[in-house]
Amino acid sequence: MSHPSAAAPQRLSMTQVLLCGAFIVTLSMGIRHGFGLWLQPITMERGWTRETFAFAIAVQNIAWGIAGPFAGMLADRFGAFRVLVGGAALYAMGLVGMALATSGLAFTGATGVLLGMAQSGTTYAVIYGVIGRNVAPEKRSWAMGVAAAAGSFGQFLMVPVENWLVGAWGWQNALFVLGCLALAIAPLAWGLREPAMAAASGVRQSVGAALKEALAYPSFRWLMAGYFVCGFQVVFIGVHMPSYLKDKGLSPDVATTALALIGLFNVFGTYTAGVLGQKWAKRHILAGIYFARSVAIVAFLLAPLSPMSVYLFSAVMGFLWLSTVPPTNAVVAQIFGVQYMSMLGGLVFFSHQVGSFMGVWLGGLLYDRTGSYDVVWGLAVAFGVLAALANLPVRETPIVRAAPAAA
């Protein structure tokens, strides 16, 4: 006999979920967006090449991607609260380790592995799982846009703060301060504690069946392909653009302003993408975003380089920066439902992080080999066009599952 109470649809207040989730993403994404500011001071003081720093950030992104599905699986099974608290502790440990590391191996372990695992448990996949289970489907894309916009605001807010900390207190002490700040994620996670019954509604599906179903579904694979490109582009630009601009003779303040502008305009871009996802086909939104990125990069490279051209490029790219996140995750929820949304969101995000690894690592590797970022800029343009084409065949209708056999 079924129990009506088991199908209760909404467990947490939408306002509570959005406020706590937004503040968590603001901290988690805001801290990581400023890592490019540490490239030159760390490599100069330690005597490392840019490839050493870039490889550690690349490992961070791939560790985030690998740990993401497991963090999502734990959040779906045991609730987001425990995962977020563990992620906050790892975040603090990783930032302290980043400050104290004196070898490339130790730096990669802290900056790469620990911080990557921390980000898997404190960012979008986990937060979006809570949103998916507690926000009505007709408001889901909008709510995801709000959470993504919070991450963008974190970049706008935190990059100038981090730049000030590095200048006023030194790069090591700045990392210690950020480690303390990361611990604030733990009390915020209390507002995302879901009752035990929250994930029990609807038809139950095993983890293995959910994974097999998603990976066998062509639209899921197309989304993963597009997300690979998203990671390649944004992490390459976020980490290497400050050094690229300094190499071209522009002051460090230009790079700081550029990163802050990316964060500011992405607040509007991600929110707009979430709102449009309630009205337009999400595959068309995604295709348009990826194609527009390629056009923006080409225009930036062809225009005479000046602070104004950098700021215009940053504003345009900022609007497009994480605007892929709400429609991509909304499509995942729309196709497969919300039972394993954190896990499936983490899985599709794994592809994003493989792209991030390639973008940041190739940026450092090819710069050290050629003395230029030109090849990687070209790859970012070509991949953007391919991602636009990859998203067009995505089907957004719910997957049809066979009804369970009668006992």
Side-chain angles (χ1 to χ4, degrees):
M1 181 180 295
S2 62
H3 298 276
S5 61
Q10 192 162 321
R11 302 293 183 174
L12 297 177
S13 157
M14 183 176 70
T15 301
Q16 176 180 323
V17 168
L18 289 181
L19 283 175
C20 293
F23 277 115
I24 289 170
V25 174
T26 294
L27 285 172
S28 183
M29 294 299 293
I31 290 172
R32 77 174 299 273
H33 273 308
F35 283 157
L37 300 174
W38 273 267
L39 190 155
Q40 291 199 342
I42 288 180
T43 55
M44 290 176 65
E45 180 162 329
R46 300 300 193 201
W48 298 338
T49 65
R50 291 188 187 184
E51 184 183 356
T52 300
F53 185 95
F55 181 75
I57 299 297
V59 170
Q60 178 188 115
N61 283 280
I62 201 69
W64 182 359
I66 292 172
F70 297 99
M73 189 186 307
L74 291 173
D76 290 331
R77 177 66 179 85
F78 299 107
F81 172 70
R82 297 178 184 179
V83 175
L84 288 165
V85 170
L90 286 175
Y91 219 136
M93 292 170 58
L95 289 165
V96 171
M98 183 177 176
L100 297 177
T102 56
S103 69
L105 181 61
F107 186 75
T108 300
T111 308
V113 178
L114 284 181
L115 287 178
M117 294 174 63
Q119 289 158 10
S120 74
T122 56
T123 50
Y124 294 115
V126 174
I127 300 301
Y128 279 176
V130 181
I131 290 175
R133 288 186 291 270
N134 293 277
V135 175
E138 61 270 16
K139 294 184 178 179
R140 190 177 291 150
S141 178
W142 167 81
M144 290 178 179
V146 171
S152 307
F153 180 75
Q155 180 180 0
F156 171 69
L157 175 68
M158 291 300 299
V159 168
V161 170
E162 291 173 42
N163 185 61
W164 177 82
L165 286 172
V166 171
W169 291 11
W171 65 266
Q172 281 186 311
N173 289 330
L175 289 170
F176 295 147
V177 172
L178 293 180
C180 295
L181 194 58
L183 292 176
I185 292 172
L188 289 168
W190 184 264
L192 300 182
R193 291 177 71 249
E194 297 176 272
M197 293 294 291
S201 60
V203 178
R204 299 297 297 174
Q205 184 185 32
S206 70
V207 169
L211 288 171
K212 183 178 179 181
E213 177 184 74
L215 292 173
Y217 199 63
S219 291
F220 189 78
R221 298 198 297 268
W222 287 125
L223 289 171
M224 292 182 72
Y227 237 20
F228 170 91
V229 174
C230 181
F232 185 97
Q233 292 173 327
V234 301
V235 177
F236 163 67
I237 294 172
V239 172
H240 289 285
M241 192 166 75
S243 296
Y244 171 79
L245 297 177
K246 188 171 183 179
D247 291 342
K248 297 294 185 179
L250 298 179
S251 79
D253 290 339
V254 174
T256 302
T257 303
L259 293 177
L261 282 172
I262 288 173
L264 175 62
F265 278 85
N266 196 33
V267 174
F268 305 110
T270 48
Y271 182 79
T272 300
V275 171
L276 293 179
Q278 300 294 134
K279 304 174 182 179
W280 296 356
K282 298 171 187 64
R283 65 184 183 276
H284 294 157
I285 296 172
L286 290 167
I289 291 168
Y290 287 121
F291 184 75
R293 284 184 184 179
S294 291
V295 172
I297 294 171
V298 170
F300 174 62
L301 296 176
L302 292 179
L305 188 63
S306 67
M308 184 54 64
S309 72
V310 173
Y311 299 152
L312 289 173
F313 172 70
S314 300
V316 173
M317 281 301 296
F319 193 81
L320 305 169
W321 194 253
L322 293 180
S323 54
T324 59
V325 174
T328 299
N329 284 272
V331 170
V332 172
Q334 197 167 318
I335 295 173
F336 301 104
V338 299
Q339 182 182 348
Y340 290 112
M341 187 179 169
S342 290
M343 181 185 70
L344 295 180
L347 183 59
V348 75
F349 194 68
F350 170 72
S351 179
H352 183 284
Q353 296 310 93
V354 173
S356 300
F357 176 94
M358 295 303 296
V360 70
W361 178 58
L362 283 177
L365 176 67
L366 293 177
Y367 179 88
D368 287 341
R369 299 294 187 273
T370 68
S372 169
Y373 288 114
D374 290 348
V375 175
V376 190
W377 281 118
L379 288 173
V381 172
F383 286 166
V385 175
L386 293 175
L389 296 174
N391 275 272
L392 291 177
V394 170
R395 297 182 61 185
E396 302 179 27
T397 53
I399 194 168
V400 178
R401 299 186 177 104

